[in-house]
Amino acid sequence: MKRSSPATERNRDPIAAVLREVLPPHGMVLEVASGSGEHATCFAGHFPTLDWQPSDPDPDALTSIAAWAADADLPNLREPVQLDATGTWPITQADAVLCINMVHISPWAATLGLLDGAARLLGPGAPLYLYGPYRRAGVATAPSNEAFDMSLKARNRAWGLRNLEDVAAEAERHSLRLDRVIEMPANNLSVVFRRV
């Protein structure tokens, strides 16, 4: 059964604009925590020279991804694979790793697993792209993001907005260097790391 997210419709075009500057011209992109599958379908269509590998730990999400992929019928969109960022990854190599709206809607261990997995899969210079809301030192957090953080923590105490500096410090430990941070609509950020 296909799932749908209004946020995907709002953010996919701004994200695609950043990805045009970040992704390699060819190769395989692993999307971690693909959710409904709407982003995977959209971006596989936008980037026909890249193979798009969606993944998610949730079986219901995998069903939704497969349904979106079947309707799109894109030759470069692979079958979704089950991947839990904190576990064993079924993929051994990628030319880019993409993760949208997972870091704040998962325990900190998932972010650590994401960084570790991306570092193992990516070659030198290859990008890890993250999207979502973050806290930043010296930058006021938007009231809407504060409210969102409270609602996330009410659902699960292990969830919530992360400090970008904490994520960047952990990334550095995994040989992932912060390349750029781009302001996005609705108080979100595009965060690009490169494998050293």
Side-chain angles (χ1 to χ4, degrees), residues 51-113:
D51 285 329
W52 210 270
Q53 177 62 71
S55 72
D56 205 275
D58 177 17
D60 290 338
L62 296 174
T63 299
S64 178
I65 297 164
W68 280 100
D71 284 354
D73 194 28
L74 296 167
N76 63 324
L77 182 55
R78 297 182 178 188
E79 288 289 317
V81 295
Q82 191 162 29
L83 187 156
D84 181 335
T86 63
T88 301
W89 288 33
I91 306 292
T92 58
Q93 187 274 334
D95 299 288
V97 175
L98 177 90
C99 187
I100 297 170
N101 286 332
M102 181 201 86
V103 171
H104 56 288
I105 311 179
S106 62
W108 179 239
T111 298
L112 299 179

Side-chain angles (χ1 to χ4, degrees), residues 45-182:
H46 275 299
F47 303 98
T49 62
L50 287 164
D51 285 329
W52 210 270
Q53 177 62 71
S55 72
D56 205 275
D58 177 17
D60 290 338
L62 296 174
T63 299
S64 178
I65 297 164
W68 280 100
D71 284 354
D73 194 28
L74 296 167
N76 63 324
L77 182 55
R78 297 182 178 188
E79 288 289 317
V81 295
Q82 191 162 29
L83 187 156
D84 181 335
T86 63
T88 301
W89 288 33
I91 306 292
T92 58
Q93 187 274 334
D95 299 288
V97 175
L98 177 90
C99 187
I100 297 170
N101 286 332
M102 181 201 86
V103 171
H104 56 288
I105 311 179
S106 62
W108 179 239
T111 298
L112 299 179
L114 171 66
L115 297 172
D116 181 63
R120 283 186 280 109
L121 267 60
L122 297 172
L128 166 62
Y129 172 88
L130 307 181
Y131 173 89
Y134 291 87
R135 296 184 183 283
R136 289 189 285 173
V139 179
T141 305
S144 60
N145 278 358
E146 291 288 7
F148 184 41
D149 183 56
M150 287 176 59
S151 72
L152 288 171
K153 288 175 178 168
R155 288 164 58 192
N156 186 321
R157 287 173 46 194
W159 295 1
L161 272 62
R162 309 297 178 194
N163 294 320
L164 183 57
E165 292 78 13
D166 293 343
V167 176
E170 285 296 336
E172 192 72 33
R173 288 187 195 70
H174 289 88
S175 300
L176 293 160
R177 178 184 45 81
L178 183 60
D179 182 53
R180 64 179 102 164
V181 178
I182 301 158

Side-chain angles (χ1 to χ4, degrees), residues 12-35:
R12 64 187 180 193
D13 290 336
I15 292 173
V18 174
L19 293 180
R20 279 189 196 94
E21 300 175 7
V22 170
L23 294 178
H26 303 280
M28 196 270 281
V29 178
L30 171 63
E31 183 181 4
V32 176
S34 299

